[in-house]
Amino acid sequence: MKSAVIVFPGSNCDRDAAVALEQATGTAPLMVWHRDTDLPDVDLIVLPGGFSHGDYLRGGAIAARAPIMQEIVRRGHKGVPITGICNGFQMLTESGLLPGILMRNAGLKFICKDVFIEVSDNTTTFTNAYAAGQTLRIPVAHNEGNYFADDATLKQLEDDNRIAFRYADETGAVTTAANPNGSTRNIAGIYNESGSILGLMPHPERAIDPRHGGVDGVGFFTSIVKALSA
Amino acid sequence: MTTQTSSALKAKVLITLKNGVLDPQGKAIGHSLAALDFKGVGEVRQGKFIELELNQTDPDAAYAKVEDMCKRLLANTVIEDYTIEIIT
């Protein structure tokens, strides 16, 4: 399985993502610079977390207009699996591959801690190694993770079962108290229409080794391998 | 006699959150004003101001160009409105 991690000035989870991908696939991903316009054929594209372009204007806004992004949008429309983690999720909404936007956290504070998220659907490219309704403990680290979309979009996401993860408490109950950032309907991650593109705020690549304090992110990468190596 | 040279235009772009979109930063500013004992302040909303120099002489063409910029980059129209002022 071949994968690519796109690197932007200010990305800081690109190497974490590369380590996680290599651990799961046995092959190091291509690291592709944002100014490149050529992207070799790959089975998976990862837009990593970080603070691309200093979060100027809006998180992910400048990165979403980088030269490489035209090709990524084209691949995304062709059905190539893409995941955007944290800042990468912001790039996916800013580029129009996913609906809505990640706004400033409701509490105005940068949040860096482990959260619990509930897996909605365990039949997707990114979640097939988990159980449906499983609660995962995964870290978040963001200032703009407050998902917002208009009511029609939210209804569409709910109706099409496209909400991938919701913030929950330790028991898996989706409550207001368990919502760290004010996200609408506790949304922590969403899919595009076909399920080939996933954006999520939590960092599964930071929960793949016991020394991280948890390994609940491993299933994210083994799911991808299982789905894409078949 | 000197011939008048065409001068560049300026555009001022004001980006604000749409009505109904929660503005926690505006709220925090409002609370801080209250802490300073400013009375009678209602809702506070904050936004962004962007000034652009344009190598262009036709105000209508300049407006159209800046509007395209707003739609494609400067504003995210999911949550933001923009107003454009062209200064000749």
Side-chain angles (χ1 to χ4, degrees):
Chain A
M1 195 197 114
K2 283 194 291 184
S3 57
V5 177
I6 315 301
V7 185
F8 299 85
S11 293
N12 68 3
C13 298
D14 45 328
R15 283 179 289 177
D16 302 65
V19 168
L21 286 166
E22 186 165 2
Q23 179 177 300
T25 66
T27 313
L30 295 168
M31 305 303 278
V32 179
W33 183 236
H34 72 121
R35 281 196 186 282
D36 291 347
T37 48
D38 283 341
L39 182 64
D41 275 338
V42 289
D43 306 306
L44 171 78
I45 298 167
V46 178
L47 297 170
F51 303 85
S52 58
H53 301 276
D55 279 346
Y56 291 171
L57 195 63
R58 298 177 302 275
I62 310 281
R65 280 83 181 171
I68 193 72
M69 285 303 290
Q70 283 190 24
E71 181 58 20
I72 289 173
V73 169
R74 204 178 65 79
R75 299 275 176 103
H77 287 142
K78 273 174 60 184
V80 174
I82 303 175
T83 183
I85 301 168
C86 196
N87 193 213
F89 186 7
Q90 296 162 349
M91 293 174 205
L92 288 173
T93 60
E94 281 285 343
S95 65
L97 285 171
L98 291 176
I101 185 173
L102 284 313
M103 292 176 52
R104 186 97 184 256
N105 294 340
L108 294 175
K109 287 205 170 73
F110 188 93
I111 302 167
C112 185
K113 63 173 187 180
D114 284 359
V115 298
F116 294 96
I117 54 173
E118 185 202 32
V119 179
S120 308
D121 178 354
N122 72 333
T123 63
T124 78
T125 301
F126 306 94
T127 58
N128 59 70
Y130 296 120
Q134 188 175 341
T135 308
L136 311 177
R137 182 188 178 119
I138 306 274
V140 292
H142 60 248
N143 200 42
E144 283 93 16
N146 180 356
Y147 185 78
F148 177 89
D150 61 40
D151 288 340
T153 304
L154 291 169
K155 185 176 183 309
Q156 193 78 54
L157 290 173
E158 297 263 16
D159 290 353
D160 297 349
N161 201 20
R162 285 167 52 196
I163 298 173
F165 304 104
R166 290 181 203 263
Y167 298 109
D169 67 17
E170 201 168 351
T171 68
V174 177
T175 63
T176 306
N179 185 342
N181 54 27
S183 232
T184 309
R185 304 187 193 196
N186 282 43
I187 289 172
I190 57 167
Y191 298 107
N192 67 337
E193 293 86 340
S194 71
S196 61
I197 302 176
L198 167 67
L200 72 167
M201 289 313 296
H203 286 275
E205 80 284 14
R206 293 193 193 176
I208 59 155
D209 187 295
R211 288 168 295 181
H212 281 147
V215 293
D216 282 1
V218 169
F220 183 81
F221 296 95
T222 52
S223 295
I224 292 169
V225 173
K226 198 170 154 202
L228 302 183
S229 301
Chain B
M1 289 284 282
T2 55
T3 47
Q4 196 181 349
T5 54
S6 61
S7 58
L9 295 178
K10 265 191 182 173
K12 295 184 170 187
V13 182
L14 196 60
I15 297 162
T16 51
L17 286 172
K18 286 184 174 173
N19 284 336
V21 175
L22 190 69
D23 180 6
Q25 293 180 81
K27 273 201 163 46
I29 294 165
H31 289 149
S32 195
L33 288 172
L36 290 173
D37 223 16
F38 284 103
K39 299 201 193 315
V41 180
E43 195 182 7
V44 180
R45 309 278 285 171
Q46 65 106 51
K48 287 176 201 156
F49 173 71
I50 299 172
E51 194 173 75
L52 303 159
E53 273 182 15
L54 300 168
N55 187 14
Q56 199 140 17
T57 51
D58 175 8
D60 290 341
Y63 187 95
K65 191 176 196 173
V66 175
E67 181 155 48
D68 193 29
M69 293 178 190
C70 285
K71 287 179 180 160
R72 290 173 56 193
L73 176 66
L74 301 182
N76 186 315
T77 53
V78 175
I79 52 163
E80 292 171 331
D81 286 328
Y82 55 84
T83 53
I84 300 164
E85 189 188 353
I86 302 291
I87 314 286
T88 51

